[in-house]
Amino acid sequence: MAVAILLVGGFGTRLMPLTKNTPKPMLTVAGVPVTEHQLAMAKAAGITEIVLATSYLSEVFIPYFGDGSKWGMKIKYAVEKEPLGTGGAIRNAAKLLDTNESVVILNGDVLSSHNLSEQIRQHEAHDADVTLHLTQVADARAFGCVPTDSDGRVSAFLEKMENPVTNQINAGCYVFNPRVISTIPLDTVVSVERETFPELVDSGAKVFGYVESAYWLDIGTPRALLKASIDIVKRSGDFLAMPGSTIDPTAVITGGSCIGPDSSVGAGAVIDGSIIEAGCVIGPNATITDSFVATGAEVKNNVKITSSCVTNSEILSIP
Ligand code: GDD
Ligand code: MG
């Protein structure tokens, strides 16, 4: 059975100040960390052994996920003292896996409903070196552009181009043959996107695309984070209140908002299209629209907040 590595060590710069104390993958979407959604997705594909490749704020993951038994999984932690880049992180994390099985790599900031079992199946059927999940986006400039030929083989890997040659992009979920991982140099900063993939393609390695355009989102910006949460909440209702939250019956909560555990919402408060994380206090008659209120933050009585990130020390409007 395949095993997995989650890349969760990036700085999450575009999400500051939310990522000052919380690594990007631990920010919550529909009430639980992004990483937890990814564990569920991996588990659904039959994966039970996972290494979290951590660096920035690595200490935040362990108390939450522990040994993984709560999720019926075996979770281990690789810690990079200094970030090793995506390729270096994969090589470092693979030291904790003793396997001849396919290794699934997930970018830690992507929510995807694609069929991972089928991606693994195709990878193994092709006896491929690497198989990349590819999807289409309207504007490919912020992504890795990945053209494929008529057999589905990757013909180039072009990370973040000003004039994209295709709108088919790297969706951040790879299946690696473990042999290929051992060719990445140890304890060295390596980018899988800028070095490993282009080198593999140039050397004629069997790099395949698995093209599927199921629900897919990179949650690397505040707007994307809000959209992800709203999309998931709206699948089952107009808002979601996590166990342990207290909501005054006169408060109005709409637009796919989520109220985190141990948060309270006062009388007459109006919350629309927003994420309220755990342990927040929303005062009476406060109005919060299209905003992210981070763990433990307080919004006082009558305060109006629109398109902003709120932490317990600052409020920053979302560009
Ligand atoms: N452990 C570790 N160490 N993880 C890292 C490091 C590192 O040094 N650097 C980045 N990561 C993790 C990030 O935490 C994130 O989960 C993932 O690797 C990708 O990094 P991002 O910084 O989010 O990259 P991006 O969004 O600009 O581009 C990547 O994702 C796109 C799809 O969302 C690339 O893989 C693109 O090719 C791709 O299209
Ligand atoms: Mg990203």
Side-chain angles (χ1 to χ4, degrees):
M1 189 44 76
V3 295
I5 296 171
L6 253 61
L7 299 175
V8 292
F11 290 113
T13 317
R14 288 170 299 166
L15 283 164
M16 281 294 176
L18 301 177
T19 43
K20 205 180 259 176
N21 302 308
T22 307
K24 168 167 69 169
M26 289 302 285
L27 292 171
T28 60
V29 156
V32 299
V34 173
T35 301
E36 200 168 335
H37 291 280
Q38 294 193 304
L39 291 184
M41 189 258 195
K43 183 100 191 283
I47 294 170
T48 54
E49 191 177 348
I50 294 222
V51 180
L52 300 192
T54 68
S55 181
Y56 177 64
L57 297 173
S58 58
E59 65 280 6
V60 178
F61 293 92
I62 301 175
Y64 191 90
F65 291 108
D67 64 1
S69 49
K70 191 173 156 196
W71 290 268
M73 303 182 101
K74 200 163 123 195
I75 300 180
K76 297 179 195 170
Y77 302 86
V79 182
E80 300 148 45
K81 276 208 197 78
E82 295 298 326
L84 288 171
T86 47
I90 293 169
R91 180 69 167 97
N92 185 58
K95 287 194 288 192
L96 299 178
L97 294 167
D98 178 22
T99 182
N100 296 317
E101 303 292 331
S102 300
V103 183
V104 173
I105 313 291
L106 297 168
N107 278 359
D109 60 346
V110 166
L111 291 173
S112 176
S113 315
H114 78 283
N115 187 340
L116 177 57
S117 305
E118 177 59 14
Q119 183 184 352
I120 298 168
R121 195 196 64 73
Q122 288 191 15
H123 171 81
E124 292 173 356
H126 286 134
D127 190 23
D129 290 306
V130 185
T131 302
L132 314 178
H133 173 213
L134 306 177
T135 192
Q136 265 103 30
V137 292
D139 180 357
R141 284 175 300 174
F143 301 101
C145 277
V146 189
T148 44
D149 68 17
S150 54
D151 299 327
R153 292 259 306 237
V154 169
S155 50
F157 193 106
L158 304 150
E159 183 67 10
K160 298 190 180 68
M161 314 177 76
E162 206 29 61
N163 297 301
V165 295
T166 167
N167 65 348
Q168 178 170 277
I169 60 134
N170 167 27
C173 172
Y174 326 123
V175 189
F176 268 78
N177 181 312
R179 264 187 294 111
V180 177
I181 296 182
S182 54
T183 65
I184 300 172
L186 257 179
D187 302 325
T188 309
V189 177
V190 179
S191 160
V192 85
E193 296 90 347
R194 296 185 190 277
E195 297 166 76
T196 314
F197 291 148
E199 285 164 18
L200 284 168
V201 171
D202 283 350
S203 70
K206 283 164 90 174
V207 182
F208 278 88
Y210 170 73
V211 182
E212 193 188 324
S213 45
Y215 182 85
W216 182 88
L217 200 61
D218 175 320
I219 56 85
T221 63
R223 290 218 184 275
L225 203 58
L226 287 171
K227 177 173 166 32
S229 190
I230 292 166
D231 286 345
I232 296 173
V233 169
K234 281 193 170 169
R235 285 175 200 162
S236 50
D238 200 37
F239 76 97
L240 173 66
M242 296 303 285
S245 57
T246 349
I247 299 171
D248 187 279
T250 61
V252 178
I253 304 175
T254 54
S257 296
C258 180
I259 314 297
D262 306 319
S263 285
S264 64
V265 180
V270 175
I271 300 176
D272 182 40
S274 297
I275 294 174
I276 313 296
E277 288 198 311
C280 297
V281 178
I282 310 301
N285 301 311
T287 305
I288 302 174
T289 313
D290 303 334
S291 295
F292 191 108
V293 181
T295 301
E298 186 182 351
V299 176
K300 295 223 161 65
N301 308 7
N302 303 310
V303 169
K304 224 184 181 112
I305 290 181
T306 309
S307 281
S308 299
C309 292
V310 181
T311 69
N312 51 19
S313 58
E314 57 193 307
I315 301 179
L316 206 76
S317 83
I318 298 173

